[in-house]
Amino acid sequence: MQFDRLYIGGEWVKPIDGGLRPSTDPSTGRPWGDVAYGGRADVDRAVAAAREAFAGPWRKMAPWERAALLRKFADLYATRVEALAQIESRDNGRAIRESRGDIGLHPQYWQWFASLADKLSGRTIPMDDSVHAFTSRVPVGVVGTITPWNVPLMAATWKLGPALAAGCTVVLKPAEQTPASSLALGEIFQEAGFPAGVVNIVPGDGATAGAHLVAHADVDKIAFTGEGATAKTILKTGADTLKRFSFELGGKAPHIIFADADVEQAVNAATGSAWALCGQSCALGSRVLVESPIYDRVVEAFRERAGRVRVGNPLDPATHMGPQAHAEQLAKTLDYIELGKAAGANLIAGGSRLAPSGMENGYFVEPTVFADVAPGMRIEQEEIFGPVAAIIPFDGEEEAIAIANGTRYGLTAGLWTGDVGRAHRVANRIDAGMVWVNTFRYIRWSTPYGGVKQSGWGRENGIEALDSYLETRTTVISTTGTFADPFAN
Ligand code: NDP
């Protein structure tokens, strides 16, 4: 697979005002390959290709034909899972066992979106005998999709799947740090036989290519995953065109363990979630709320498990946790660890940069645990995006709910209890788009995912994912064909 071209209009083209730049392997801190990136002129080309495809072949294609193409894409994707996982782990440092697990599920996502493509029906509106009124679901148009570096293929799948099922065309701009796996998608779209311009892939800088895509008058919608601060900039940049926006933003998920829970299972979930993706996911339970009677037991379990995490080469199947995906994220995580110490939280495991043998310049951090974290501390309020668990003691449901809801985020939450009444009571009062009870991070193609408060707008996955890629058109047809002359009398 070559990464030195952009995928625009169904062809692999050289950038006009971009170029080639090295992509860094975060486990060594050294470049591993050159990747094409685009500038404004390249974005213009991609948007023009997407517009032409939208007006032409894609708009005219029957929904069942679109569904068939998506199914073919899903089948081809399934044959590339290992290759895609290798590229992604190389580019962003995610442990290969995790990349395989995540990317191995993507064909199911594509199959699910394919299955929705020919079921976008409207409804008949009861009126009187003089008219027949009905709604149709029509695609929004050209969609700019902007994705982050932590889960490039997952983010692309969650956006392109529903966008294409809805009948939209797409320009995909992956994060500048991890563009390679997104470019690899181009080959699969080409092989599946998608009409030219339906999908265009242009890596590039957020401030230039990304901002230009957002401001573009011929882009009808932006689907974005990333930081809240970037989303606010995007809203301002896109305001003049009044385009549509959907946002998947950050999270600071509370993971609540009540004393009546199956503590062993809860600890399995909570420790797994603390260090998955080296802490670089918005869905992880970065705040672990533990009821007082079991507090010491859970803290000790975290300390012990931290010592069992195998940190190292992400391409080694034995590795549990790879490096942070880039140098800025490493620095951010280490800064937050210092903030936690300064605030008086109790560092019980980790806390330092790691230098595994042969990868001394890699961006590794120890699995880190702070106990006795107090609500309001910055490590309790802000998204670190590193392998740092913050354990917070509480007493009773009211305090747990107050702490859980005490941040500006509201993406995911988890709770563990043996009391079914409590499960319903507490789940019902948590401000989050997704709540798990006696499980954690169960996310699938059919389960709507997204945030409340400052965690985002709209939902990905599920039937709901289609909503933000569709408009509703209402048609009213007279059954009489008569229209009274307003000036007859
Ligand atoms: P950023 O917001 O920095 O970047 C996300 C994307 O936006 C990148 O492609 C970036 O390009 C682009 N971008 C940056 N500035 C602009 C701009 N002015 N206009 C248009 N596009 C721009 O987020 P990160 O990549 O740092 O990702 C981490 C964040 O994403 C975390 O906060 C995390 O919570 C969130 N996230 C949320 C998820 C969810 O589902 N809710 C899932 C995964 C991550 P470039 O790379 O060139 O800067």
Side-chain angles (χ1 to χ4, degrees):
M1 170 79 212
Q2 297 284 307
F3 303 110
D4 58 353
R5 295 280 195 278
L6 309 172
Y7 185 63
I8 297 177
E11 291 174 6
W12 293 95
V13 297
K14 280 188 180 167
I16 299 174
D17 58 348
L20 280 183
R21 66 158 67 115
S23 202
T24 302
D25 177 343
S27 66
T28 62
R30 286 196 290 272
W32 70 277
D34 285 335
V35 181
Y37 69 96
R40 292 183 178 85
D42 296 304
V43 168
D44 285 340
R45 272 199 297 179
V47 172
R51 175 59 59 191
E52 199 178 326
F54 182 68
W58 200 235
R59 191 72 191 264
K60 290 174 190 145
M61 193 178 276
W64 61 266
E65 288 176 300
R66 252 190 358 250
L69 263 183
L70 283 164
R71 275 196 293 274
K72 189 166 177 200
F73 178 88
D75 289 342
L76 286 170
Y77 196 109
T79 67
R80 311 283 167 85
V81 165
E82 179 59 22
L84 292 170
Q86 293 281 340
I87 295 168
E88 192 137 298
S89 284
R90 194 80 197 266
D91 219 16
N92 78 353
R94 187 174 184 184
I96 189 74
R97 60 161 68 192
E98 282 190 6
S99 293
R100 284 175 178 151
D102 169 20
I103 294 167
L105 288 177
H106 294 180
Q108 289 294 340
Y109 281 84
W110 287 100
Q111 293 287 0
W112 161 260
F113 293 122
S115 73
L116 297 178
D118 56 0
K119 298 174 187 66
L120 307 176
S121 48
R123 57 195 180 93
T124 305
I125 315 289
M127 284 298 302
D128 54 53
D129 285 348
S130 67
V131 295
H132 176 60
F134 61 94
T135 62
S136 318
R137 309 302 312 276
V138 293
V140 162
V142 174
V143 179
T145 58
I146 301 180
T147 52
W149 43 261
N150 58 338
V151 282
L153 282 175
M154 187 184 92
T157 295
W158 288 17
K159 289 173 172 47
L160 269 60
L164 297 173
C168 296
T169 57
V170 173
V171 177
L172 167 62
K173 192 214 82 66
E176 64 188 278
Q177 297 94 343
T178 57
S181 58
S182 299
L183 274 177
L185 289 179
E187 277 189 0
I188 313 179
F189 281 111
Q190 211 172 18
E191 202 174 323
F194 276 73
V198 170
V199 175
N200 306 275
I201 305 167
V202 184
D205 296 338
T208 51
H212 193 57
L213 187 62
V214 172
H216 208 294
D218 228 8
V219 173
D220 301 296
K221 174 195 157 74
I222 293 293
F224 171 81
T225 296
E227 284 189 40
T230 313
K232 290 172 193 170
T233 304
I234 285 175
L235 273 178
K236 290 174 192 149
T237 311
D240 279 345
T241 54
L242 276 181
K243 51 176 55 80
R244 277 77 180 121
F245 296 97
S246 54
F247 294 126
E248 290 292 350
L249 308 177
K252 192 74 183 174
H255 199 160
I256 307 168
I257 310 177
F258 286 100
D260 62 7
D262 183 332
V263 177
E264 187 66 21
Q265 303 305 317
V267 164
N268 288 345
T271 53
S273 174
W275 302 308
L277 284 107
C278 199
Q280 300 166 136
S281 164
C282 46
L284 300 176
S286 48
R287 293 187 296 153
V288 187
L289 281 57
V290 186
E291 203 164 21
S292 293
I294 55 166
Y295 185 74
D296 290 343
R297 181 177 164 196
V298 173
V299 167
E300 176 51 27
F302 261 84
R303 196 196 56 72
E304 184 270 330
R305 298 277 174 102
R308 280 203 261 144
V309 180
R310 285 191 296 270
V311 186
N313 181 356
L315 297 180
D316 180 344
T319 295
H320 292 129
M321 190 174 96
Q324 300 265 253
H326 55 86
E328 294 76 25
Q329 180 56 52
L330 170 69
K332 182 178 166 190
T333 300
L334 295 174
D335 282 351
Y336 271 107
I337 291 171
E338 291 311 312
L339 278 173
K341 288 194 238 173
N346 182 10
L347 182 68
I348 59 158
S352 302
R353 185 173 178 175
L354 267 177
S357 172
M359 293 174 291
E360 288 77 5
N361 294 321
Y363 310 139
F364 296 92
V365 191
E366 290 178 309
T368 297
V369 186
F370 280 107
D372 308 334
V373 173
M377 284 182 183
R378 286 186 61 187
I379 60 165
E380 191 269 339
Q381 288 286 310
E382 299 173 19
E383 190 173 44
I384 300 172
F385 240 46
V388 182
I391 309 184
I392 308 160
F394 73 88
D395 285 300
E397 285 177 26
E398 288 304 319
E399 193 182 10
I401 292 164
I403 297 171
N405 291 341
T407 74
R408 64 176 182 273
Y409 295 112
L411 188 59
T412 67
L415 65 100
W416 291 79
T417 176
D419 176 341
V420 72
R422 166 176 281 166
H424 282 283
R425 274 195 309 274
V426 177
N428 191 39
R429 289 179 60 196
I430 291 183
D431 300 333
M434 191 153 199
V435 181
W436 295 292
V437 177
N438 294 341
T439 184
F440 203 78
R441 261 178 92 223
Y442 185 93
I443 297 169
R444 292 293 185 274
W445 42 91
S446 50
T447 50
Y449 181 88
V452 301
K453 300 201 292 192
Q454 291 195 27
S455 286
W457 291 358
R459 293 292 176 268
E460 302 199 283
N461 301 330
I463 297 169
E464 287 79 354
L466 290 169
D467 289 341
S468 71
Y469 298 96
L470 291 167
E471 302 280 13
T472 296
R473 184 180 53 219
T474 307
T475 308
V476 180
I477 300 180
S478 168
T479 56
T480 64
T482 58
F483 202 99
D485 177 353
F487 311 111
N489 305 312

